[in-house]
Amino acid sequence: IEIMANNCYNFIQIEGSKKEIKAFLKLLKKDESKGQNSGYDIYQNLIHDFGKFGNDARWFDIDVQELNETEISIAGDSAWCPCLEIFTAISEKYQSFIIRYEYDEMGCDFAGFAEISQGNCNDNCFSYWEGIIASQGESDAMEMVINNELDCYETKEELIESDMYNAFSKENQKEILENYNV
């Protein structure tokens, strides 16, 4: 498998007051009369409204889903890194927001999650597999490995030396080996 180190996957859960969620959703609407018809355009709107951020991605293809009156999710790929600075600024403006921001970029070997509220960002970044385990839990990460990752290793030795294998507990390493040999 060849992975291009470019796309960072983002999943953002935002909870807040009805009033603030409704106001924020207005910023996440595409305005086709202005030629805005993609998730990239939504991100440009956010940059326009909240300022430019040096460490944030140059682009983010945002897909917004309104879950209910007080909760939305945002998912999509961004360039190279998560957009933590802009979502920290958003949380400063919308004080009721509690933001859980999960991200991963396998090609650059990082993954993690951030808890953001009231202008504060608690970022927890790890190597890729350590971050997947930290954000999703070891059992969900195990399911991902067993269903999708074991075919990537040509030999048992290659598997045992991998960062993926070594990120798991001894008990789960044993299960990974059992599934590899199947």
Side-chain angles (χ1 to χ4, degrees):
I1 288 180
E2 216 174 293
I3 298 170
M4 182 178 167
N6 187 18
N7 291 354
C8 178
Y9 178 74
N10 305 270
F11 180 76
I12 306 159
Q13 196 86 17
I14 302 175
E15 294 180 37
S17 70
K18 281 191 214 181
K19 180 181 177 182
E20 288 191 337
I21 290 288
K22 185 176 181 179
F24 185 58
L25 279 170
K26 288 180 183 175
L27 298 177
L28 301 176
K29 297 289 185 213
K30 300 170 196 161
D31 186 348
E32 292 181 14
S33 69
K34 295 180 181 176
Q36 300 172 342
N37 53 17
S38 72
Y40 299 105
D41 296 325
I42 294 171
Y43 183 63
Q44 293 306 311
N45 291 343
L46 292 177
I47 289 173
H48 178 264
D49 291 336
F50 291 94
K52 296 192 184 293
F53 298 95
N55 292 327
D56 274 3
R58 292 192 178 119
W59 56 260
F60 185 1
D61 188 12
I62 292 176
D63 181 33
V64 180
Q65 188 172 34
E66 187 174 353
L67 303 173
N68 58 53
E69 293 180 319
T70 61
E71 191 174 8
I72 62 173
S73 69
I74 297 172
D77 290 335
S78 62
W80 299 101
C81 63
C83 303
L84 298 176
E85 289 181 37
I86 197 164
F87 281 89
T88 301
I90 289 165
S91 78
E92 193 169 355
K93 178 176 180 178
Y94 297 102
Q95 290 282 304
S96 71
F97 282 11
I98 298 170
I99 302 171
R100 167 80 177 192
Y101 194 127
E102 296 180 11
Y103 56 88
D104 65 75
E105 213 296 18
M106 183 180 252
C108 290
D109 190 31
F110 69 84
F113 63 94
E115 296 160 344
I116 305 170
S117 65
Q118 297 180 340
N120 297 302
C121 178
N122 179 15
D123 184 22
N124 301 276
C125 188
F126 307 89
S127 66
Y128 179 79
W129 281 106
E130 290 170 342
I132 294 297
I133 292 168
S135 64
Q136 296 179 14
E138 196 156 341
S139 64
D140 285 350
M142 276 294 292
E143 186 176 323
M144 182 176 150
V145 165
I146 290 168
N147 293 330
N148 302 316
E149 299 297 321
L150 294 180
D151 292 342
C152 298
Y153 300 94
E154 292 184 22
T155 66
K156 181 178 175 181
E157 291 73 27
E158 182 184 0
L159 172 65
I160 290 171
E161 292 174 7
S162 72
D163 291 336
M164 180 274 298
Y165 178 83
N166 288 297
F168 285 93
S169 67
K170 297 290 182 200
E171 180 181 315
N172 282 325
Q173 287 176 347
K174 182 179 174 186
E175 186 178 340
I176 289 169
L177 283 176
E178 288 170 2
N179 280 281
Y180 181 75
N181 292 326
V182 171

